[in-house]
Amino acid sequence: MATQEQTLKPLTRDEVAKHNKAGDLWVIVDSIVYDLSKFGNLHPGGIGVLLDEEVAGQDATTVFYGLHRSEILLRPQYQRLKIGQIEGEKQLIKHMQPGDISRVPYGEPTWLTPEFKSPYYKESHRALQKVMRKFVDEVIYPDAQACEESGKRASKEVLEAMAKTNLNAMRLGPGKHLHGRELFGGVVKGEEFDYFHELVLNQEVARMGARGYGDGLNAGMVIGLPPVLNFGQEPLRSKVVEEVFSGQKVISLAISEAFAGSDVANLKTAATKSEDGKFWTINGTKKWISGGMHSDYFTVGAKTEGGLTAFLVPRGEGVETKQIKTSYSTAAGTAYITIDNVKIPAENMLGPEDGGLLVILSNFNHERWVMCCASARSSRMVVEECLKWAAQRQVFGKPLLAQAVIRAKFAAMIAKVEAIQAWLESVTYQMNNMTYKEQSRNLAGQIAFLKMQSTRFAGEIADDAVNIFGGRGLTKTGMGKFIEQFQRTQKFDAILGGAEEVLGDLGVRQAMRKMPKDVRL
Ligand code: HEM
């Protein structure tokens, strides 16, 4: 930015003021002079607003930032509009660069705020956060914004770049599968990777505000691959895990059906064993399968004689996927799947016959915790957007933030994001200090409550955010685009991985089970 300022022609405000009509139209935004003479007729907001006597030939900084996101001025096509800079003045507005930490209060969790300390994060968490933020900003974000809008899946380049850093493997959480792997070029050792490293990755992805795209970005793998990794039979297990980690193949979890959601024990998809026991034939349907449109493999739950069994079903004859249009982007690849007489070898069974419920349930805590990470971070992103907007938007001659009713909304929103992050970090610390079995025993209730509360708060935050942004919170482009998307999509977190009510009840039932029989009032 400094070089650009040096090369721009110095101009005075008096000179600029002479160019104040159609065909000869200059304006100043943050000390930079823009020649809008030709652009005026192409301006999406129309030429009329630019000819206003307080805009044409004048300093339009305040009015500009009341109407546009600052990223507009960074678009390559608008660089040619810059013709000079006001003599002796400097740009006061700092545009975020890839990898930057927000300086907006509460724009980052406290551990990323310079004045605050945290007992949870070590040097390797901080190093991972730095490279991941830059990677997301530079590699994923532009693709995410384009695909969220077009509905297309993440580009091959992004998926390949993710595989190269070993991001796919990291998103499955700590474990032996990471040992000996080079993570983000060696920023963190596979052996020391813990749940706080994973939290960092989840939150950095959620921060970019592309909900449908985010789910299409191998979120299906996060829930679909663990049953293969933990219960698959060799050599199929290693083959599939490597194919997915390296980005050659995509996997998703296919459990829910039109007939059964939270009550997984009532699935209708059924598997029958051949007489010689070498094959299974599967028939049924699956619904709302995130990433299903992009998947080569499906981790399927099916009814068997004595219960439920999990299978790895490859895409092939008899397996068909149809796009479901949900309220978020089709970039998520949400699918309806029909499985008609699909014959698979017995080696594709994941875990014991009739033991599928455990295979599926064993990953639920992790899945829900991943969603808590994302919900907490996207809620915070919304609070940051609202704070920026309320500080720069002028109403009745003052910033929106000068209104007490607006400040009261911020008090509620900020308290919610801080509370959720603090609880999330506390749960994450417990996860780091418990075996997987202990986590299932002790944290199912905590995580269920955390998810329930995070998504309830997200709903309340969405509501306040839309009211702060007004019509812009309902508009897909422009100032409020992230608010519009958040209010439209935050409900996904409230439903996926267990609806709020189901989770709340699960938490209470867990507590009841632990209630000592010998206590009295
Ligand atoms: C400095 C160069 C400018 C550029 C490159 C520019 C570009 C744009 C773009 C791309 C939009 C579409 C909306 C969006 O994506 O957010 C827009 C909308 C608009 N612009 Fe500009 N603009 C400029 C200056 C101005 C100025 C000085 C005014 C002063 C009144 C103005 C008033 C508007 C209005 C009223 C809209 C419609 C906003 C809405 O729909 O909420 N623009 N402009």
Side-chain angles (χ1 to χ4, degrees):
M1 202 180 292
T3 350
Q4 198 179 52
E5 282 182 39
Q6 282 151 18
T7 54
L8 286 170
K9 187 176 160 190
L11 293 165
T12 64
R13 286 177 180 265
D14 288 345
E15 270 173 282
V16 175
K18 290 178 200 154
H19 304 272
N20 60 354
K21 46 195 159 302
D24 181 18
L25 183 60
W26 294 5
V27 296
I28 306 163
V29 178
D30 192 20
S31 84
I32 305 293
V33 181
Y34 294 85
D35 181 352
L36 308 182
S37 306
K38 287 190 187 139
F39 173 70
N41 288 321
L42 305 170
H43 178 232
I47 185 155
V49 293
L50 303 176
L51 295 173
D52 186 285
E53 60 179 27
E54 287 181 9
V55 173
Q58 300 301 312
D59 191 323
T61 308
T62 305
V63 68
F64 180 89
Y65 282 108
L67 297 159
H68 311 74
R69 296 186 70 86
S70 60
E71 70 209 22
I72 285 184
L73 293 179
L74 302 177
R75 289 184 190 162
Q77 69 266 38
Y78 297 141
Q79 299 316 304
R80 62 184 175 81
L81 301 177
K82 292 179 184 171
I83 54 160
Q85 184 162 26
I86 300 299
E87 217 167 25
E89 292 188 16
K90 277 196 174 353
Q91 279 186 270
L92 297 176
I93 292 151
K94 288 199 174 75
H95 297 281
M96 290 275 281
Q97 301 298 323
D100 275 359
I101 293 289
S102 171
R103 291 170 297 123
V104 173
Y106 304 101
E108 303 282 358
T110 47
W111 75 278
L112 287 174
T113 311
E115 298 79 12
F116 287 79
K117 309 277 176 282
S118 164
Y120 301 128
Y121 300 88
K122 295 182 296 197
E123 217 24 67
S124 67
H125 299 116
R126 294 185 183 277
L128 185 66
Q129 186 279 328
K130 274 201 182 89
V131 288
M132 184 64 181
R133 168 112 6 143
K134 203 149 188 287
F135 182 77
V136 170
D137 286 352
E138 282 176 344
V139 181
I140 309 184
Y141 180 84
D143 194 51
Q145 296 308 318
C147 294
E148 186 72 21
E149 168 111 14
S150 69
K152 290 192 183 137
R153 69 182 289 193
S155 73
K156 213 167 139 264
E157 292 72 30
V158 166
L159 295 171
E160 279 172 7
M162 280 173 61
K164 226 183 248 171
T165 61
N166 262 321
L167 198 48
N168 294 337
M170 286 186 269
R171 287 176 69 197
L172 248 54
K176 282 201 185 111
H177 63 283
L178 292 181
H179 295 186
R181 278 184 205 270
E182 171 118 322
L183 308 180
F184 255 118
V187 163
V188 47
K189 285 200 183 74
E191 289 73 7
E192 65 168 323
F193 188 94
D194 64 20
Y195 287 107
F196 278 105
H197 292 106
E198 196 194 346
L199 176 149
V200 166
L201 302 179
N202 292 332
Q203 295 213 315
E204 290 300 323
V205 171
R207 182 188 148 266
M208 75 186 170
R211 190 63 183 79
Y213 176 93
D215 272 8
L217 200 67
N218 289 348
M221 172 204 71
V222 176
I223 50 180
L225 195 58
V228 181
L229 184 72
N230 301 323
F231 299 95
Q233 305 174 42
E234 293 294 2
L236 188 68
R237 172 186 174 272
S238 296
K239 176 181 168 285
V240 173
V241 168
E242 278 319 307
E243 283 173 341
V244 175
F245 283 173
S246 64
Q248 298 163 52
K249 295 273 167 80
V250 175
I251 189 168
S252 54
L253 182 69
I255 303 295
S256 57
E257 299 181 356
F259 307 98
S262 295
D263 54 341
V264 284
N266 282 324
L267 301 177
K268 279 203 194 297
T269 296
T272 39
K273 195 160 49 170
S274 63
E275 271 183 17
D276 60 5
K278 289 188 177 156
F279 289 95
W280 288 89
T281 303
I282 308 186
N283 277 291
T285 59
K286 296 288 168 186
K287 195 168 179 181
W288 303 290
I289 306 309
S290 305
M293 293 306 293
H294 317 144
S295 290
D296 305 286
Y297 294 116
F298 304 90
T299 297
V300 171
K303 259 197 347 212
T304 41
E305 243 178 55
L308 186 85
T309 308
F311 296 96
L312 178 74
V313 177
R315 187 183 279 274
E317 217 186 309
V319 178
E320 285 205 12
T321 49
K322 275 185 228 152
Q323 183 96 59
I324 301 178
K325 286 192 182 164
T326 62
S327 22
Y328 67 21
S329 174
T330 51
T334 313
Y336 181 79
I337 308 178
T338 51
I339 307 172
D340 290 324
N341 277 324
V342 174
K343 203 171 157 191
I344 54 160
E347 292 79 48
N348 284 36
M349 195 166 75
L350 306 170
E353 187 175 335
D354 302 328
L357 202 57
L358 182 90
V359 173
I360 294 160
L361 292 182
S362 73
N363 194 43
F364 268 2
N365 277 342
H366 181 253
E367 170 184 358
R368 289 171 187 154
W369 170 83
V370 169
M371 295 176 75
C372 294
C373 296
S375 178
R377 192 59 185 87
S378 47
S379 293
R380 184 178 295 279
M381 180 271 288
V382 164
V383 172
E384 183 188 1
E385 288 277 306
C386 288
L387 271 168
K388 283 186 184 163
W389 167 250
Q392 76 194 57
R393 176 68 170 178
Q394 301 283 314
V395 281
F396 309 114
K398 290 186 208 146
L400 193 53
L401 209 42
Q403 306 292 332
V405 283
I406 298 292
R407 291 198 303 271
K409 287 196 182 300
F410 278 112
M413 292 163 93
I414 292 168
K416 283 169 192 157
V417 291
E418 287 298 297
I420 284 302
Q421 182 74 19
W423 189 2
L424 172 68
E425 290 177 354
S426 158
V427 166
T428 307
Y429 180 76
Q430 305 309 324
M431 287 167 71
N432 263 355
N433 289 286
M434 286 187 196
T435 63
Y436 209 75
K437 265 202 182 135
E438 286 169 337
Q439 288 177 35
S440 311
R441 227 183 3 250
N442 303 316
L443 293 180
Q446 282 271 337
I447 293 175
F449 285 135
L450 176 60
K451 181 172 172 297
M452 176 199 78
Q453 199 57 50
S454 306
T455 59
R456 286 206 175 149
F457 278 171
E460 290 165 17
I461 289 170
D463 203 42
D464 278 338
V466 172
N467 289 2
I468 290 172
F469 267 79
R472 286 175 174 82
L474 303 171
T475 307
K476 286 194 173 185
T477 56
M479 302 298 276
K481 66 178 186 179
F482 291 113
I483 307 305
E484 186 280 333
Q485 189 192 116
F486 188 72
Q487 60 85 17
R488 178 165 43 84
T489 62
Q490 48 84 20
K491 262 292 176 196
F492 281 81
D493 289 324
I495 302 296
L496 273 57
E500 283 170 356
E501 293 75 7
V502 174
L503 295 184
D505 189 50
L506 167 79
V508 176
R509 281 188 289 115
Q510 294 268 327
M512 280 162 57
R513 216 180 293 158
K514 289 194 175 175
M515 195 69 190
K517 300 228 173 337
D518 56 355
V519 291
R520 297 290 180 276
L521 272 180

